[in-house]
Amino acid sequence: MSFDYSGKTVFVAGGTSGINLGVAKAFAKAGARVSVLSRRQEKVNATVAALKALGAEANGYAADVRDYAAVEAALQAAHGQFGAFDVLVSGAAGNFPAKATGMSANAFKSVVDIDLLGTYHVLRAAHPLMKKPGGSIINISAPQAFLPMNMQMHVCSAKAGVDMVTRVGALEWGSEGLRVNSVVPGPIEGTEGMERLAPTEGARKAVIDSVPMKRYGQASEIADCCLWLGSDMAAYVTGAVIPVDGGWALGGATSLGQGFEQLAGG
Ligand code: NAP
Ligand code: COA
């Protein structure tokens, strides 16, 4: 199935690497005008160039999602250039494996501030700039949102909150014709997230064994779900938390989480 986003405006927060870059590129290939935001100017510049090379109108902003004023300024600038957002994807996140007692209070706070507060910042600032009715907001969540995992107390807490932002946003904004959903990626090939959680060949093999479909996913497979959620094909879908994970969230992710400590070493 192919989607036509010609004339549509898409904003991807955290869209300059990994899964979210794959999502930004998919919307660009489908014809959308695409804006991205992340902290590092060089990643923003490279992404804007890559999106333009795909034939899209594109722009980007260097901002930290923990800084509300900077997020708001970026979203307003993108809105000023490309108009109301048909689709907003919020996917900026941070992760590292650490025991609850092996990280400082500031380490825990850093992840919660990026993932949860950052998601709220992006949605709060984007809300007045979304197309209404018809806009679609997509939060990039993680299996940690509903599966407790060893060495992931910070991420589990933050992503559980992200899915509640999704659900409450869907409740409060449904009558405006604005939809809010979460996409929950499984382990995705070649990403920073999996490099951090499964850094060795042994760890990678254990991840694959723990996925019912016995393989890593591709960023393009997450992007396909986002293309659908952003389209009229999903016009009655809101408040949903949708795993795209080869069945990992059925339990394999949790069993793997119990072994992160050993896996990180071998
Ligand atoms: P990634 O490549 O590290 O992507 C993170 C993106 O967010 C980058 O563009 C990064 O760019 C930006 N970012 C990080 N902190 C930020 C901040 N404070 N303010 C603004 N931007 C910030 O990671 P990934 O592994 O592809 O993960 C992408 C998303 O998928 C995350 O939400 C993650 O939780 C979720 N996910 C990933 C997997 C997986 O298999 N990788 C599985 C489940 C869920 P800068 O460094 O320039 O800021
Ligand atoms: N184990 C334990 N604590 C860690 C850690 C680790 N592996 N990595 C960082 N921390 C702690 C730091 O020591 C610091 O705590 P302190 O001030 O008490 O010393 C705190 O976390 C913040 O670290 P800092 O490097 O100052 O934060 P930052 O805002 O520059 O970066 C991170 C945020 C830590 C989440 C960083 O890993 C990041 O930028 N990640 C984005 C990319 C990513 O994680 N991608 C995968 C997405 S799923």
Side-chain angles (χ1 to χ4, degrees):
M1 179 184 293
S2 64
F3 292 91
D4 183 5
Y5 276 87
S6 306
K8 305 269 188 190
T9 294
V10 177
F11 191 102
V12 185
T16 63
S17 60
I19 293 171
N20 306 322
L21 174 59
V23 171
K25 284 182 173 172
F27 279 109
K29 281 185 201 157
R33 296 181 290 257
V34 182
S35 304
V36 294
L37 170 158
S38 84
R39 290 167 302 178
R40 285 179 272 177
Q41 188 70 57
E42 66 275 16
K43 285 177 73 174
V44 170
N45 292 345
T47 300
V48 170
L51 296 174
K52 285 184 174 169
L54 292 170
E57 286 184 76
N59 58 26
Y61 307 89
D64 192 315
V65 292
R66 290 169 286 193
D67 178 346
Y68 184 76
V71 168
E72 187 177 42
L75 284 158
Q76 285 178 349
H79 180 268
Q81 192 175 349
F82 290 157
F85 307 127
D86 295 279
V87 179
L88 171 75
V89 180
S90 178
N95 192 1
F96 47 81
K99 287 277 195 193
T101 50
M103 69 178 114
S104 66
N106 189 48
F108 187 95
K109 180 176 185 297
S110 296
V111 168
V112 172
D113 282 355
I114 298 168
D115 294 25
L116 177 53
L117 193 58
T119 298
Y120 171 73
H121 283 167
V122 170
L123 268 62
R124 175 68 187 85
H127 176 265
L129 312 175
M130 294 295 302
K131 185 177 176 205
K132 295 191 224 56
S136 172
I137 296 174
I138 303 165
N139 289 325
I140 305 298
S141 183
Q144 287 92 325
F146 43 85
L147 296 173
M149 280 193 216
N150 198 27
M151 305 188 84
Q152 293 282 276
M153 188 186 279
H154 48 336
V155 176
C156 291
S157 306
K159 291 289 193 179
V162 167
D163 284 349
M164 275 301 169
V165 168
T166 292
R167 294 182 178 108
V168 178
L171 271 182
E172 292 196 2
W173 301 335
S175 62
E176 300 172 47
L178 191 55
R179 296 181 293 110
V180 191
N181 294 288
S182 284
V183 172
V184 184
I188 302 302
E189 186 96 54
T191 57
E192 183 66 27
M194 288 317 295
E195 277 303 307
R196 290 178 180 221
L197 293 180
T200 64
E201 200 40 52
R204 189 182 144 81
K205 184 177 176 312
V207 171
I208 290 169
D209 285 348
S210 70
V211 178
M213 292 190 74
K214 303 300 172 199
R215 66 172 177 86
Y216 271 46
Q218 302 298 316
S220 62
E221 293 175 309
I222 306 306
D224 286 344
C225 187
C226 293
L227 288 170
W228 171 70
L229 278 174
S231 78
D232 288 345
M233 299 290 286
Y236 203 48
V237 180
T238 194
V241 174
I242 304 174
V244 181
D245 69 347
W248 205 38
L250 297 175
T254 288
S255 65
L256 178 74
Q258 287 159 4
F260 276 145
E261 207 166 8
Q262 295 88 324
L263 291 171

